[in-house]
């Protein structure tokens, strides 16, 4: 498993800090005291906002909801990285379908608070809508409002304006708590309407900010817990420790997910289900724009390679109650010491669970003495396997052991169904303890079986594109057992569903969003990506099937399910237009000596709230102290007494990938760049440098000839993100922007003015805009009149220091009822030094750096992207002038398409 250096800022969450429900409080009771032991049984019904009171508690092994054990399998969703509320439903429905039963929801303070005392929960920040949608999707919610989150957010989720406020963050400093409590007041006012305990929603747990390792952790955490309780949060309060590494790849996620299961934690760490895109200036220093590495769903909402293990484990926990109560059992050692084994057992059912982990770099096969598993277990390098013995498979049948991992066991209609999964190309071996009158039937040619000393041995290959099936009759129960064997790809087309009429199992579609039984009819909704068959195993009496509202002709198959007589069609072709009709306009008039900066902010401060010292004999130049918290910042200094000046040294601080451009009297002095994100050492969030520029001879001569006339030094700083503050040392207050100016050959007096972004966009929020001239004058907005701009085409080969804008419009005609995920691709010779800020319909989709960083499509979320209408694309190009600056190729690309999806409402995109 590859472990990310990125800190997900509290994705950990296994330690219970408080369980104050009604009149009870304190830690979970030990076995033999407190609440009576709850035996293994059916899990609680899927959650909903049902207006009924519910009891939630913990007995140390699992959550207890209304007296029933719940095996929680949560995934984290970053709604703030998907600025299209309609698509939140798409992600949540996919999470439910793929096995998650809970969603962890971080709520970033900085996304919702553009200024002290202002909190915005409208539009793409509508937390109330998100919580309602989660309840409608039957997902429990773990609410995580911080105030500090981490999560690779700018300042870890603390608002930019807090950098210039008094008080030490993440402590009991009253100056800080005044702001933090005001934030929590607003979040809690929304949350209490959605608590599961009152039936208003499905908020099941509340995660208190983790402050472990900080100087004031105990008192600060106590304050946050008391604040939640005082504001009416009566669900269990949970916390943990930050710094949990993320897992990447299917093997890494399986190893980490099974490790959580092996720990027996009632509240497992949420893995990242959907991270989205860090649009605008949202990302922390060094964090990638596409925040989907290790996520089950990528930034374009498409399945990632990590999805299969989460799907398999999630449905196992949901549909096999034995896993809701597992306790440590006798130690087991593999015959090969490279395999580590965790042994757990359910004391009620006698089911034994073995998590076998291989941390080595080679595949390992070995026996597990003392487990009753008679066959060698093979675990690929840096992977893990889950083995189960003693699991009841209905009637008098029990699973003796299996070399494949169980995914689902359910009883539906007239049959019991068990699904086993494993790696493609492997041979699954399932052994059943059962009566000797069983009658196996081969439904697929590749399977084989043998009966030996009271055990039925079944072998089946994994990976022929569809599940391999074996039907077993007999045992006197009157219910046959259907065994399905699937590799990862085939398992992602198996959909166990719970309905009030009983469970269903569906095979074939790319996604099943909902399932219900209406009399004799099964009604399914979902997505199809390519033509495929459909098969349904359902309750007794079911004879009809509909898909997305259309009745399907069906027949009863050999396996006992209903099979569609014709394949379901896949998604129709989606044709994307070429991007042409570009217009161009150069920018940065701020570099000209005659530019009018009289309405800019004068840099007259002499003290700062920053943790960065102010240089001696210099004014405060830090951007945050003047209210400019995100994006680019311009400085203009008038130099009195500059005759004889030979060079300029400009000290500045940024996050990773920052840059500085300088002009003197309109003549470019050059560009300085901080290291790109991929060169950042782990944990470094602030970069400081001094850019030294020697004046050209001709410019030195002009300064001498001008005598006492004051030249203008113009500086553009791409300040990038604030540092995170994991250790509560106010590192988010480290300065951003210019910090000092020093001169050689003369000692001019300098009067500085600076300008950053306009007031935050009331719709798009504080992270959308920076201080470029074009941004301040609306060049990025769809309503801007670019009729007077120069017509142009790509590729461009300009060689100019500064900023240049390009705009075009395009129309899309995506077929109705098709969910098309579209991305933007920029490509050019990586030797060309420039970067591009991308605006779609006025929304800042992020930055493309041509000569550094990964080259991958920028997702354009539907809702912001009009998939059936006109769109405006604007590109702001910053170039250092040392190379031709492009852009080269700019095109749309299809990230994925499905027939189905969810209705998408256009996101408000004001044109002016």
């Amino acid at each position: 498993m590859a472990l990310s250096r990125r800190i997900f800022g509290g994705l950990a969450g296994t330690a219970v800090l408080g369980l104050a429900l009604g009149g009870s409080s304190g830690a979970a009771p030990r076995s033999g005291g407190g609440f009576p032991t709850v035996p293994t049984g059916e899990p609680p019904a899927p959650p909903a906002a049902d207006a009924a009171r519910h009891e939630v508690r913990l007995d140390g092994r699992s959550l207890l909801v209304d007296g029933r054990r719940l095996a929680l399998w949560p995934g984290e969703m970053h709604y703030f990285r998907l600025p299209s509320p309609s698509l939140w439903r798409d992600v949540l429905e996919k999470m439910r379908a793929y096995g998650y039963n809970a969603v962890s929801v971080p709520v970033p303070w900085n996304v919702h608070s553009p200024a002290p005392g202002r909190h915005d929960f409208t539009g793409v920040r509508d937390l109330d809508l998100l919580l309602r949608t989660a309840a409608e999707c039957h997902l429990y919610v773990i609410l995580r409002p911080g105030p500090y989150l981490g999560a690779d957010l700018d300042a870890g989720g603390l608002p930019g304006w807090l950098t210039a406020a008094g008080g030490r963050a993440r402590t009991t400093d009253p100056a800080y708590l005044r702001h933090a409590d005001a934030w929590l007041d607003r979040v809690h006012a929304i949350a209490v309407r959605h608590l599961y305990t009152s039936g208003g929603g499905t908020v099941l747990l509340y995660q208190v900010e983790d402050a472990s390792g900080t100087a004031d952790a105990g008192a600060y955490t106590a304050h946050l817990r008391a604040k939640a309780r005082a504001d009416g949060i009566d669900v269990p309060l949970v916390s943990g420790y930050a710094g949990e590494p993320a897992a990447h790849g299917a093997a890494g996620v399986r190893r980490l997910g099974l490790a959580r299961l092996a720990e027996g934690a009632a509240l497992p760490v949420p893995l990242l289900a959907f991270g989205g895109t860090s649009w605008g200036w949202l990302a922390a220093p060094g964090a990638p724009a596409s925040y989907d590495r290790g996520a089950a769903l990528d930034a374009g909402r498409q399945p990632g390679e990590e999805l299969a293990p989460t799907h398999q484990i999630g449905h196992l926990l949901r549909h096999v109650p034995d896993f809701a109560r597992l306790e440590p059992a006798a130690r087991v050692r593999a015959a090969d010491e490279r395999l580590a084994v965790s042994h757990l057992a359910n004391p009620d059912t006698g089911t034994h669970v073995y998590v076998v982990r291989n941390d080595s770099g080679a595949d390992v096969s070995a026996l597990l003495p003392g487990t009753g598993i008679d066959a060698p277990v093979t675990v690929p390098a840096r992977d893990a396997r889950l083995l189960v013995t003693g699991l009841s498979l209905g009637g008098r049948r029990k699973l003796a052991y299996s070399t494949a991992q169980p995914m689902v066991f359910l009883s539906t209609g007239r049959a019991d169904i068990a699904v086993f999964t494993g790696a493609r190309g492997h041979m699954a071996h399932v052994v059943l303890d059962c009566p000797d009158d069983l009658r196996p039937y081969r439904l697929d040619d590749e399977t084989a079986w043998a009966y030996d000393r009271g055990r039925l041995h079944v072998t089946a290959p994994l990976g022929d594109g569809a599940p391999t099936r074996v039907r077993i009759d007999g045992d006197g129960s009157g219910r046959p057992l259907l065994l399905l064997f699937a590799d990862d790809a085939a398992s992602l087309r198996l959909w166990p569903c719970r309905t009030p009429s009983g469970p269903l199992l569906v095979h074939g579609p790319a996604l099943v969003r909902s399932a219900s039984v209406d009399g004799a009819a099964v009604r399914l909704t979902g997505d199809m990506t390519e033509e495929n068959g459909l098969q349904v195993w359902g309750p007794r009496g079911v004879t009809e099937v509909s898909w997305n509202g259309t009745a399907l002709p069906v027949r009863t198959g050999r396996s006992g399910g209903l099979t569609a007589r014709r394949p379901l069609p896949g998604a129709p072709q989606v044709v994307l237009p070429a991007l042409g009709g570009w217009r161009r306009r150069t920018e940065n008039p701020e570099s000209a000596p005659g530019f009018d900066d009289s309405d800019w902010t004068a840099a007259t401060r002499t003290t700062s709230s920053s943790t960065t010292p102010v240089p001696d004999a210099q004014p405060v130049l830090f951007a945050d102290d003047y209210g400019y918290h995100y994006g680019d910042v311009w400085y203009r200094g008038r130099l009195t007494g500059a005759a004889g000046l030979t060079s300029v040294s400009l000290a500045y601080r940024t996050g990773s990938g920052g840059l500085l451009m300088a002009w003197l009297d309109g003549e470019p002095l050059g560009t300085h760049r901080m290291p790109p994100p991929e060169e950042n050492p782990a944990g470094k969030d602030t970069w400081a440098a001094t850019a030294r520029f020697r004046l050209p001879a001709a410019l030195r001569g002009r300064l001498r000839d001008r005598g006492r006339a004051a030249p203008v030094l113009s500086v553009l700083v791409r300040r990038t993100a604030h540092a995170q503050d994991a250790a509560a040392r106010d590192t988010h207050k480290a300065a951003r922007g210019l910090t000092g100016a020093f001169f050689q050959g003369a000692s001019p007096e300098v009067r500085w003015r600076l300008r950053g972004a306009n007031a935050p966009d009331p719709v798009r929020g504080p992270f959308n805009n920076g201080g470029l001239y074009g941004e301040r004058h609306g060049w990025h907005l769809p309503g801007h009149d670019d009729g007077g701009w120069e017509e142009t085409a790509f590729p461009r080969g300009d060689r100019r220091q500064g900023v240049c804008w390009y705009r075009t419009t395009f129309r899309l005609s995506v077929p109705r009822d098709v969910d098309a995920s579209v991305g933007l691709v920029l490509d050019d010779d990586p030797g060309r030094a420039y970067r591009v800020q991308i605006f779609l319909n006025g929304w800042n989709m992020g930055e493309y750096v041509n000569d550094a960083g990964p080259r991958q499509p920028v997702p354009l979320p539907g809702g912001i992207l009009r998939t059936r209408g006109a769109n405006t694309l604007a590109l702001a190009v910053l170039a250092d002038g040392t190379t031709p600056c492009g852009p080269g190729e700019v095109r749309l690309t299809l990230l994925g398409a499905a027939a189905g999806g969810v209705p998408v409402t256009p996101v408000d995109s004001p044109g002016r």
Side-chain angles (χ1 to χ4, degrees), residues 845-863:
M845 294 288 95
E847 181 186 46
Y848 163 81
V849 181
N850 186 64
D851 54 339
R855 292 170 177 264
Q856 56 189 29
V858 177
L860 306 176

Side-chain angles (χ1 to χ4, degrees), residues 286-366:
S290 289
Y291 200 74
D292 57 3
R293 191 179 181 200
L297 299 170
D298 68 18
R301 299 175 290 112
Q302 305 304 300
E305 64 172 309
E306 292 84 0
L307 187 57
T310 64
H311 180 64
Q312 295 159 8
I313 299 171
H315 281 295
L316 176 68
L317 298 180
R318 184 187 300 177
H319 294 280
V320 182
D322 305 57
F323 284 83
R325 186 186 181 194
L326 292 177
E327 299 183 356
R331 183 177 181 182
V332 171
R333 289 188 176 183
D336 190 313
E337 63 181 10
R338 290 174 295 176
L339 297 183
V341 183
S342 298
H343 179 199
L344 302 104
N346 184 305
D348 303 322
T349 65
T351 298
H352 288 255
V353 174
Y354 304 91
V355 174
V356 187
R357 193 180 74 248
N358 177 10
D359 293 335
S360 77
D363 295 358
V364 177
S365 293

Side-chain angles (χ1 to χ4, degrees), residues 22-319:
S24 64
S25 63
R30 298 180 180 274
S31 178
F35 298 112
T37 299
V38 175
T40 301
E42 286 298 308
D50 56 9
R53 294 290 303 178
H54 295 280
E55 180 191 53
V56 183
R57 57 187 178 88
L58 186 80
D59 75 349
R61 306 313 304 172
S62 64
L63 276 167
L64 301 174
V65 176
D66 296 331
R68 295 187 179 188
R69 292 192 178 276
L70 172 68
L72 204 66
W73 185 244
E76 184 144 300
M77 173 193 174
H78 292 182
Y79 70 94
F80 45 89
R81 287 188 165 108
L82 181 58
S84 179
S86 299
L87 295 181
W88 297 346
R89 178 178 296 275
D90 176 68
V91 171
L92 292 169
E93 287 184 353
K94 286 175 177 174
M95 288 180 64
R96 178 71 187 177
Y98 283 120
Y100 297 102
N101 59 6
V103 56
S104 173
V105 178
V107 186
W109 186 2
N110 56 4
V111 168
H112 294 271
S113 182
R118 289 178 53 194
H119 302 94
D120 185 356
F121 290 91
T122 64
V124 300
R125 297 163 293 276
D126 192 340
L127 179 62
D128 188 80
L129 172 64
L130 177 70
L131 297 179
R132 291 201 312 270
T133 306
E136 291 166 3
C137 295
H138 304 294
L139 286 168
Y140 295 108
V141 174
I142 304 170
L143 194 66
R144 194 155 72 91
Y148 179 84
L149 294 175
D152 279 342
L153 288 161
D154 182 282
L158 300 176
W161 53 261
L162 196 66
T163 60
R168 184 170 176 175
R170 308 189 65 206
T171 70
T172 54
D173 187 315
Y176 167 72
L177 288 182
R178 177 168 56 89
H179 297 300
D181 286 351
W183 158 246
L184 293 175
D185 284 342
R186 292 298 307 276
V187 179
H188 292 165
I190 296 171
V192 293
R193 301 197 296 266
H194 297 274
L195 298 177
Y196 190 59
T197 45
S198 64
T202 57
V203 175
L204 183 75
L205 302 171
Y206 177 105
Q207 185 167 335
V208 179
E209 177 192 327
D210 170 66
S212 58
T214 65
D216 201 13
Y220 178 55
T221 300
H223 175 88
L224 295 179
R225 294 184 65 220
K227 174 67 177 167
R229 290 295 187 231
D231 289 346
I233 305 297
D234 65 358
V235 298
L237 307 181
V238 300
S239 186
Y241 48 93
E244 185 66 28
H248 305 313
V253 169
R254 181 165 39 246
R255 192 165 61 138
L256 187 55
L258 292 180
R260 294 292 168 263
L261 184 65
E263 290 171 357
L267 308 178
V269 178
L271 300 177
L272 187 64
F274 176 79
T277 301
S278 293
W279 60 280
W281 301 104
L282 189 62
S290 289
Y291 200 74
D292 57 3
R293 191 179 181 200
L297 299 170
D298 68 18
R301 299 175 290 112
Q302 305 304 300
E305 64 172 309
E306 292 84 0
L307 187 57
T310 64
H311 180 64
Q312 295 159 8
I313 299 171
H315 281 295
L316 176 68
L317 298 180
R318 184 187 300 177
H319 294 280

Side-chain angles (χ1 to χ4, degrees), residues 512-867:
V512 172
R513 294 181 181 270
S514 69
S516 62
V517 178
D518 182 7
V522 173
R523 306 195 187 282
L524 304 173
T525 67
D527 298 358
M528 294 294 295
T529 55
E530 57 189 22
E531 184 180 270
N532 206 2
L534 174 72
Q535 192 167 19
V536 180
W537 294 271
R540 291 174 183 265
V542 167
T543 58
E544 304 169 15
V545 177
S546 70
W547 176 254
N548 287 339
T550 300
L552 304 177
V554 296
R555 59 178 174 81
T556 301
R558 295 169 62 199
S559 65
L562 297 176
T563 301
R565 292 183 178 274
R566 295 189 299 272
L568 298 182
Q573 183 181 11
V574 175
V575 179
L576 301 177
L579 298 178
W582 289 95
R583 291 181 175 272
R584 170 182 181 272
R585 183 174 177 181
T586 58
E587 207 226 65
N588 55 278
E590 300 93 336
S591 64
F595 179 80
D596 182 8
D597 60 13
S598 59
D599 62 344
W600 286 24
T601 303
T604 56
R605 293 180 178 270
T606 57
T607 60
S608 171
S609 296
S610 171
T611 55
T612 303
V614 179
D616 293 340
Q618 300 259 354
V620 173
L621 297 175
F622 312 157
D624 286 303
D625 283 279
Y626 297 96
Y628 303 126
H629 305 301
Y630 308 112
D632 300 300
V633 181
W634 274 98
Y635 297 83
R636 284 172 55 87
R638 283 180 167 76
L639 280 58
T640 302
L645 187 65
T646 58
S647 64
V648 175
S649 298
L650 300 171
Y652 74 117
R653 291 184 178 231
T654 73
S656 61
L659 65 74
L660 176 149
M661 295 180 177
W663 294 259
L664 185 59
D665 249 17
E667 183 164 335
L669 296 182
T671 299
H672 184 278
R673 299 173 58 172
M674 298 294 191
E678 65 269 20
E679 296 180 15
N680 279 3
K684 183 166 184 177
D685 280 348
T686 295
W687 291 80
T690 298
R692 295 177 173 84
F693 303 110
R694 182 165 179 80
L695 275 56
L699 180 57
R700 295 199 302 270
R702 289 203 303 273
L703 293 180
R704 286 193 299 269
D705 295 343
R706 291 176 59 170
R708 300 179 62 85
V712 176
L713 176 62
S714 301
V715 182
L716 173 63
V717 178
R718 174 147 290 184
R719 40 160 301 149
T720 61
H722 297 97
Q724 298 190 90
D725 192 21
R729 297 173 181 171
D730 270 354
T731 49
H732 66 292
K733 292 185 177 182
R736 292 295 185 262
L738 203 60
T739 57
F742 310 92
F743 306 94
Q744 294 75 42
S747 300
E749 179 184 338
V750 188
R751 289 176 294 125
W752 287 103
R753 290 182 178 271
L754 69 160
R755 181 65 191 269
N758 293 338
D761 187 311
V763 172
R764 300 174 178 94
F767 289 99
N768 198 71
N769 298 343
L772 296 180
Y773 182 89
E775 292 177 288
R776 305 196 312 267
H777 291 81
W779 294 9
H780 62 298
L781 298 175
H784 180 74
D785 182 6
D786 58 14
W789 290 26
E790 169 194 357
E791 294 183 0
T792 190
F794 296 145
R796 292 287 306 187
D798 302 338
R799 192 184 291 264
R800 173 182 179 273
Q801 176 178 297
V803 185
C804 187
W805 284 74
Y806 299 86
R807 285 172 54 96
T808 191
T809 59
F810 62 93
R811 295 189 66 87
L812 295 181
S813 298
V814 175
R816 296 186 187 278
D817 299 322
V818 171
D819 178 9
S821 180
V822 179
L824 185 72
V825 173
L826 290 88
D827 196 17
D828 202 354
D829 176 357
R832 295 187 172 193
Y834 67 90
R835 56 186 66 190
V836 183
Q837 209 67 31
I838 301 164
F839 295 89
L840 176 67
N841 295 326
W843 290 82
N844 184 343
M845 294 288 95
E847 181 186 46
Y848 163 81
V849 181
N850 186 64
D851 54 339
R855 292 170 177 264
Q856 56 189 29
V858 177
L860 306 176
I864 290 178
L865 178 72
R866 274 47 171 170
T867 56

